Amino acid sequence: MRNNLLIYNSLAKKKELFKPLNSPFVGMYVCGPTVYSDAHLGHARPAITFDLLYRYLIHLEYKVRYVRNITDVGHLENDADEGEDKIEKKARFEHLEPMEVVQKYMNTFYKNMAQLNTLHPSIEPRASGHIIEQQELIKILVDKGYAYETNGSVYFDLLTYNEKYKYGILSGRLLDELQSNMRTLEGQDEKRNSFDFALWKKATPEHIMRWPSPWSDGFPGWHLECSAMSTKYLGEEFDIHGGGMDLQFPHHECEIAQSTAAFGKEPVKYWMHNNMITINGQKMARSLGNFITLDQLFSGDHPVLKQPYSPMTIRFFILQAHYRGTIDFSNEALQAAEKGLQKLMKAIETLKKLKPTSISTLDVARLKNKCYEALDDDLNSPILLSHLFEGVKFINSVVDGTEKIDSSGHESLKELFKIFVFQILGLKDEKTGISDEKLTDELMNIIINLRQDAKNNKDWPASDKIRNELKGAGILIKDLKDGAEWERE
RNA sequence: GGUCGGUUAACCGAGUGGUUAGGUAGCGGUCUGCAAAACCGUUUACGGCGGUUCGAAUCCGCCACCGACCUCCA
């Protein structure tokens, strides 16, 4: 097994050699979506980034348990601890049960993820299905003195936590700094300090999603679900936790605090964060009118889009940039990616048909090694792609006769593309979506028009030849007064 | 205001103290009945000003601009 994978650890702020706690087993947790609206461009980035990692770890023969949650309760609209639940709000607008909203957008999310060719995680747990685990975790925190109840709600006591452990190790934020920056919001009189965050919230009478608990009928806080579910499925300590950079603070910082307080040790060995996506240099936001859902991207149905972009174009485009850099979407950039992907796929088709000779001018083993080195360097997919394009150039040069390949080189090069392009990068060939039926119609139109031209020129031998040869292929031409039609025999 | 990150050629986007990343587009050429594809070559690259160094786009300082987070966000 190769064991040279360097991962940039957001906690250490440097690249570190990846060593699983319990090799060959790897536990990996990634924050999934809150399912209250259609999946958008922003969801594609972490999904593809961590799909790449998942695929690579599997390729390296690790036994990976990849957990990605679905947040279907507890994510509030405004402040972390105040405001309406996002899903309830949507349910009210659409006159649906909250769980209907959840189902609807979970379906879209999974559909879009499948289109992007991301593998399903090993477990996709939902917050609402783990209320008991969350309550158990709260009990531990209360018992250990890191949480307190006020009016039926339970809050995490950051000041007490900070005395024993240091809060802010991931984001570099200090507690007193936080205090001076925090806005004063309603309802905070329940808290000992403004920076304390909710573990359990007492439901107001109109709140629909509610569960009984020792403290009140209510619902869990947002940060809690990830700690509860990662602990349940991956243990008190696990290898990798991923998510968007925007989640570093406060979400991941709170997760660290919750788990550390409860179990006395830091939960995660490697924290990984993907960077954000901008559109034409601007942050994607509903208010800026550049908010694009994945369905819109695939259909081209959005004012900023000049054309539809296929799921694989999006995947290729995201892989062309390193996951820790921001990435800017524009029509020009996407069109470039579309062309590049076509070139790659076309060369792979060409490769299959190559005629081997007795000599080879390419060192496939060396190229393969460079591909591994790129991935081992913190998943440097753009470098990997640049190496693969070296292979593309070589393939085309073989066709041109300026390079040679022998049969063993031919086999290993095919294997190389299979591994890196399809298995690890997770790309796939998307034939332009013309159905066979539509193609047949178009081809027959062309043939009938050619025959009509011949008839117009009184070129009867040509027109008869077309009719007879089509008959041989099982297609009957019937001349009409005006034009012709065809049918299968 | 605080914290952090970025500024690379027409566009996207890697990377490095001295040697062509790659993709796309443009230009010239080869090939071709024409076209397409492919191949070869090519276009003011490294925000500004200082410093360290034999040598910096790569290290340091200052400035400008952009962005993220600080409030829900992938």
Side-chain angles (χ1 to χ4, degrees):
Chain A
M1 190 191 282
R2 281 183 74 87
N3 186 22
N4 304 308
L5 175 60
L6 290 174
I7 284 180
Y8 183 88
N9 189 348
S10 308
L11 194 58
K13 294 179 177 52
K14 63 181 182 196
K15 289 181 199 172
E16 294 179 341
L17 185 65
F18 177 63
K19 280 191 207 144
L21 291 161
N22 186 24
S23 191
F25 300 99
V26 173
M28 167 175 162
Y29 188 95
V30 175
C31 290
T34 301
V35 281
Y36 70 105
S37 68
D38 283 323
H40 55 75
L41 196 43
H43 292 112
R45 188 106 200 248
I48 290 171
T49 298
F50 294 105
D51 186 58
L52 172 65
L53 177 62
Y54 183 43
R55 285 167 177 271
Y56 189 46
L57 291 172
I58 290 171
H59 175 77
L60 293 176
E61 297 178 345
Y62 287 112
K63 310 281 181 219
V64 189
R65 181 177 292 164
Y66 171 20
V67 181
R68 183 179 61 197
N69 66 296
I70 294 280
T71 298
D72 60 358
V73 66
H75 203 160
L76 304 185
E77 188 68 18
N78 289 311
D79 179 66
D81 304 332
E82 293 302 320
E84 203 171 354
D85 185 289
K86 287 185 173 202
I87 286 160
E88 276 206 23
K89 185 180 179 188
K90 188 77 176 183
R92 199 160 42 74
F93 276 135
E94 300 196 356
H95 300 285
L96 296 169
E97 275 290 321
M99 282 303 135
E100 273 183 291
V101 172
V102 166
Q103 192 67 49
K104 179 178 172 186
Y105 293 112
M106 205 167 65
N107 290 348
T108 331
F109 178 76
Y110 286 146
K111 182 193 77 181
N112 290 152
M113 291 305 111
Q115 286 173 304
L116 289 169
N117 204 26
T118 61
L119 302 174
H120 268 285
S122 328
I123 306 177
E124 302 185 287
R126 286 162 61 173
S128 64
H130 297 76
I131 300 294
I132 291 175
E133 288 83 350
Q134 296 180 71
Q135 292 184 353
E136 292 302 315
L137 188 52
I138 296 173
K139 284 179 200 161
I140 296 173
L141 291 171
V142 173
D143 286 350
K144 290 197 170 183
Y146 293 111
Y148 56 91
E149 186 203 330
T150 313
N151 297 332
S153 292
V154 184
Y155 295 96
F156 191 89
D157 185 352
L158 267 183
L159 215 53
T160 303
Y161 174 79
N162 198 50
E163 281 167 16
K164 178 156 184 193
Y165 307 101
K166 197 175 157 218
Y167 181 76
I169 54 171
L170 182 65
S171 60
R173 258 159 250 246
L174 302 169
L175 221 48
D176 45 350
E177 216 169 71
L178 282 175
Q179 190 149 37
S180 56
N181 282 333
M182 273 283 183
R183 293 191 209 163
T184 314
L185 289 160
E186 283 176 45
Q188 295 207 329
D189 44 327
E190 285 191 351
K191 298 183 190 178
R192 290 182 189 163
N193 286 291
S194 58
F195 44 63
D196 288 349
F197 57 91
L199 299 171
W200 188 263
K201 287 290 286 182
K202 181 180 178 179
T204 53
E206 63 273 17
H207 201 100
I208 309 165
M209 290 192 285
R210 52 167 69 212
W211 290 264
S213 80
W215 313 285
S216 63
D217 276 12
F219 55 93
W222 175 44
H223 308 304
L224 189 65
E225 56 166 298
C226 289
S227 290
M229 295 190 285
S230 63
T231 306
K232 171 162 184 170
Y233 297 113
L234 300 172
E236 294 173 5
E237 268 184 299
F238 58 96
D239 299 296
I240 299 169
H241 190 130
M245 265 181 189
D246 51 343
L247 293 178
Q248 242 178 42
F249 185 89
H251 186 57
H252 292 161
E253 203 71 79
C254 293
E255 273 187 67
I256 293 175
Q258 287 166 161
S259 295
T260 307
F263 309 116
K265 52 195 167 192
E266 280 181 30
V268 176
K269 199 166 171 197
Y270 304 92
W271 282 92
M272 294 177 73
H273 292 95
N274 62 274
N275 214 320
M276 314 309 273
I277 282 171
T278 57
I279 295 179
N280 296 316
Q282 277 189 310
K283 181 188 176 175
M284 186 174 79
R286 283 196 169 86
S287 57
L288 294 171
N290 62 358
F291 193 90
I292 306 179
T293 69
L294 289 169
D295 280 340
Q296 286 171 331
L297 206 55
F298 300 156
S299 68
D301 182 23
H302 191 283
V304 312
L305 299 175
K306 287 187 185 155
Q307 61 169 85
Y309 298 99
S310 74
M312 280 308 106
T313 300
I314 303 304
R315 184 165 182 123
F316 182 83
F317 182 65
I318 287 176
L319 290 169
Q320 248 189 334
H322 188 261
Y323 75 90
R324 280 190 292 112
T326 52
I327 190 171
D328 188 47
F329 270 58
S330 64
N331 282 285
E332 249 186 319
L334 285 167
Q335 284 162 0
E338 187 177 48
K339 291 270 180 62
L341 176 63
Q342 279 169 9
K343 184 175 180 172
L344 177 63
M345 288 303 165
K346 204 172 152 189
I348 293 171
E349 283 305 303
T350 306
L351 175 61
K352 291 178 189 162
K353 298 173 200 150
L354 243 38
K355 299 271 186 293
T357 56
S358 57
I359 54 163
S360 186
T361 52
L362 178 70
D363 187 344
V364 180
R366 186 166 166 272
L367 183 63
K368 189 174 182 177
N369 200 44
K370 280 158 73 177
C371 289
Y372 277 118
E373 281 173 3
L375 284 171
D376 282 341
D377 186 15
D378 193 30
L379 299 177
N380 199 328
S381 53
I383 290 292
L384 170 56
L385 281 167
S386 80
H387 294 324
L388 292 172
F389 274 101
E390 276 180 41
V392 167
K393 193 168 184 174
F394 172 80
I395 291 165
N396 289 326
S397 296
V398 172
V399 175
D400 260 32
T402 53
E403 301 280 0
K404 304 277 181 214
I405 192 161
D406 60 20
S407 60
S408 79
H410 190 216
E411 289 310 311
S412 45
L413 192 58
K414 280 194 282 190
E415 179 71 8
L416 183 150
F417 276 96
K418 190 176 135 195
I419 292 172
F420 290 100
V421 176
F422 300 110
Q423 291 177 0
I424 297 177
L425 290 178
L427 294 168
K428 61 181 181 185
D429 206 354
E430 294 171 311
K431 299 286 184 221
T432 50
I434 304 176
S435 68
D436 284 353
E437 200 174 330
K438 194 177 166 203
L439 182 64
T440 308
D441 277 343
E442 288 183 2
L443 291 174
M444 283 311 298
N445 276 339
I446 292 166
I447 294 170
I448 286 172
N449 286 338
L450 284 171
R451 181 162 172 274
Q452 193 59 46
D453 289 345
K455 286 171 70 178
N456 292 345
N457 295 330
K458 298 196 188 304
D459 184 355
W460 310 121
S463 118
D464 289 349
K465 184 169 195 251
I466 292 170
R467 186 174 57 194
N468 292 337
E469 294 199 356
L470 281 173
K471 188 164 191 300
I475 289 168
L476 292 180
I477 292 282
K478 295 181 175 175
D479 284 318
L480 305 172
K481 277 182 189 164
D482 186 16
E485 62 177 28
W486 66 276
E487 63 179 37
R488 290 188 168 87
E489 218 169 7

